[in-house]
Amino acid sequence: MTSTAPHQSILDKPFVLDLFAGPGGLDVAGHTLGIPSLGIEWDKSACLTRYAAGLETLHADVSAVRRESFEALPPEINVLAGGPPCQTYSVAGHGAGRKNLNKVKEYIERLTAGESDATIDEDLKTLSDPRTALVLEPLRYAVQATRSPNRGKRPYDVIVLEQVPSVEELWHHYAKVLQETGLPDGTRYNVVVGLLDTETYGVPQKRSRAVLIARRDGLDAPSLPAPTHRSYEAKAWNRRNEDGRVSSGQAHQPTFDEASAPVTAQHRETGDEDLQPWRSMGEVLAEPVGTHPGRETPFLVRSNYGSSGISGRRGVRGDQQPAFTVTGRISRFVVFQHLNADIVYEGARFSMNEAGMLQSFPPDYPWSGKAQAQQVGNAVPPLFGAHLLGAAIGLPAPNPDALSQPWPAATEEQRAKLRSHGCGAADDCTARCPRPEDQAPAPSSERPRRNTG
């Protein structure tokens, strides 16, 4: 259930620890709310983006920090947040995590029962894909907080987690044990779990996420963030075809009818009249801002996925619709534009700046390092993250305009200082940073099924 009641912060000084922080989606969200954060991220390129954006960062393995340097974390941290890597749970992955759901549930119960880390770690080695165990790390951090002398064994006040929809079942199990069993020291939480769509929070993209918000007993019960925008449903949009104004385009012969047809309120779904219409790609990309020159409209976008690898069946959307889910393949999306009604040509593909803006990152966010498209696709949409953090802490819904202005890049001096803290040296990684060869996961025994169609 979502709440529309006025918000009042439940914490005097919220401070977020962002596990699996990526290039900074939740940290940018915190920035819009005036909340400090510290992110832990093991990918070097994502850390370079974070340093360039001026974000406090530890270039480290989340598991290693918990085992070896938890006591060095700022004791004033009171909000634990994160989105563990989703590859083994995502429908796009091999699915090792989905097949191990019951095993992972057992580990959740063993952790809250107080079983030793050494025993848990030894048994986790039997998982077919070690990344599956990363979904346990937020819980292990919550337990560790209650054992930390540096914190005075004080539990986190708030926990905020998000993941792909297939992890919702695990979040419900998290909720069950946090509410009924609690942590080994007896701390219990009130928890809410739900499946939310990012376009209903003003993100110009259709993306579903399983979320969990927990508040320690003694604080007000949590609620999911109230939506601010209407839901986008592709079937409802396509029903416009019935009156003959819009024809459907094939990927090999795109049409601009859909992109250029007038859009009125009723085309943006019926529903709560108090909600704003969902935001489209064109709304975000058409106008110049910062170094973004603006993108000419109308345009069509053909996705690189979604039809069993058959390119002729891949989805096509116009600029007056939200984007497809932004993934690491965003740089492969083909953008079509036209010279006149009869001549269509392939235009410039989305830049990383544009891809970030479709994720609700501010214009000119300083994407750095390698695999930038993957960084963009893996990130939490900052506007959505701001709604999650705001609801978790009890702050008002964020103002989307706070993310519409260019992001100020860090100075060289600021970057050097951040990297000295995050890596151990002002201009390079050190022995304490994860090694590049360790960043590639071990091969999974789960193999994708071949397409036999």
Side-chain angles (χ1 to χ4, degrees):
M1 177 179 293
T2 58
S3 170
T4 57
H7 296 284
Q8 183 175 0
S9 178
I10 61 168
L11 301 176
D12 290 334
K13 295 181 179 180
F15 189 157
V16 178
L17 177 63
D18 184 8
L19 306 180
F20 313 103
L26 273 177
D27 304 80
V28 172
H31 175 84
T32 68
L33 300 172
I35 300 173
S37 63
L38 170 64
I40 303 176
E41 173 55 42
W42 86 332
D43 180 73
K44 178 179 179 180
S45 290
C47 286
L48 293 178
T49 295
R50 294 177 60 85
Y51 298 145
L55 302 177
E56 292 286 346
T57 303
L58 291 178
H59 182 195
D61 179 350
V62 164
S63 301
V65 171
R66 172 181 51 79
R67 292 192 305 265
E68 302 163 10
S69 54
F70 190 92
E71 293 304 295
L73 295 175
E76 60 269 29
I77 289 172
N78 51 12
V79 179
L80 179 68
C86 68
Q87 291 92 334
T88 66
Y89 294 94
S90 172
V91 294
H94 296 172
R98 297 195 303 278
K99 294 184 178 180
N100 284 319
L101 277 175
N102 289 333
K103 286 185 180 180
V104 174
K105 290 178 182 178
E106 291 177 10
Y107 287 120
I108 290 173
E109 293 170 2
R110 290 167 62 182
L111 284 166
T112 53
E115 195 163 334
S116 74
D117 282 340
T119 302
I120 295 288
D121 287 340
E122 189 63 30
D123 287 353
L124 285 173
K125 294 177 182 178
T126 64
L127 293 176
S128 59
D129 190 324
R131 294 174 298 177
T132 302
L134 294 177
V135 77
L136 297 170
E137 282 299 332
L139 180 58
R140 302 188 79 170
Y141 266 72
V143 172
Q144 189 68 21
T146 67
R147 298 170 175 168
S148 167
N150 189 43
R151 293 181 55 84
K153 301 184 178 181
R154 178 172 52 86
Y156 297 118
D157 292 313
V158 174
I159 301 173
V160 183
L161 305 176
E162 66 86 39
Q163 248 293 0
V164 293
S166 55
V167 179
E168 184 183 15
E169 182 178 343
L170 277 185
W171 286 166
H172 279 294
H173 201 69
Y174 253 75
K176 182 176 184 293
V177 296
L178 287 174
Q179 291 177 140
E180 297 178 4
T181 306
L183 302 180
D185 74 329
T187 299
R188 296 189 184 190
Y189 290 82
N190 294 307
V191 189
V192 62
V193 173
L195 197 62
L196 305 180
D197 294 322
T198 60
E199 87 275 9
T200 64
Y201 298 94
V203 179
Q205 171 195 175
K206 184 70 176 178
R207 187 186 193 101
S208 296
R209 306 301 286 178
V211 304
L212 175 150
I213 298 176
R215 288 181 181 173
R216 179 179 50 78
D217 258 358
L219 301 173
D220 293 340
S223 59
L224 297 175
T228 53
H229 293 67
R230 296 173 195 160
S231 175
Y232 169 82
E233 297 295 339
K235 289 182 179 179
W237 173 272
N238 291 334
R239 278 198 295 270
R240 296 193 304 155
N241 292 338
E242 296 174 1
D243 63 13
R245 287 178 299 164
V246 177
S247 60
S248 60
Q250 297 297 320
H252 64 278
Q253 188 178 359
T255 172
F256 281 86
D257 289 345
E258 181 173 322
S260 59
V263 178
T264 56
Q266 62 265 34
H267 293 149
R268 298 213 188 178
E269 322 310 330
T270 58
D272 192 332
E273 294 301 320
D274 293 332
L275 298 181
Q276 302 175 57
W278 40 259
R279 301 179 72 202
S280 69
M281 293 182 281
E283 287 178 76
V284 174
L285 300 181
E287 297 299 321
V289 56
T291 61
H292 172 57
R295 181 172 280 271
E296 182 181 349
T297 57
F299 62 80
L300 289 172
V301 179
R302 186 180 71 200
S303 74
N304 188 257
Y305 57 86
S307 301
S308 302
I310 302 174
S311 60
R313 296 180 183 173
R314 288 170 181 163
V316 177
R317 285 190 185 174
D319 62 86
Q320 296 192 38
Q321 296 168 274
F324 296 99
T325 298
V326 174
T327 71
R329 298 179 181 180
I330 184 65
S331 60
R332 302 180 191 176
F333 285 15
V334 180
V335 182
F336 293 97
Q337 296 182 292
H338 69 139
L339 294 176
N340 55 48
D342 300 318
I343 301 177
V344 174
Y345 70 99
E346 184 175 328
R349 299 195 180 194
F350 290 133
S351 67
M352 288 304 98
N353 192 16
E354 290 177 312
M357 292 165 70
L358 293 177
Q359 273 275 61
S360 76
F361 276 89
D364 291 346
Y365 196 71
W367 303 103
S368 304
K370 301 178 181 179
Q372 292 180 16
Q374 197 66 49
Q375 292 183 50
V376 175
N378 287 346
V380 177
L383 183 55
F384 179 64
H387 279 275
L388 288 183
L389 288 177
I393 297 168
L395 296 174
N399 180 358
D401 291 340
L403 294 169
S404 64
Q405 297 303 309
W407 185 268
T411 65
E412 288 300 323
E413 182 179 0
Q414 289 170 329
R415 293 189 199 194
K417 183 178 180 180
L418 288 167
R419 192 161 189 181
S420 292
H421 179 230
C423 292
D427 58 357
D428 202 357
C429 287
T430 66
R432 81 183 194 191
C433 297
R435 297 177 303 172
E437 57 265 33
D438 292 337
Q439 294 182 21
S444 172
S445 61
E446 307 292 340
R447 291 290 182 259
R449 291 177 294 178
R450 294 182 181 274
N451 177 23
T452 58

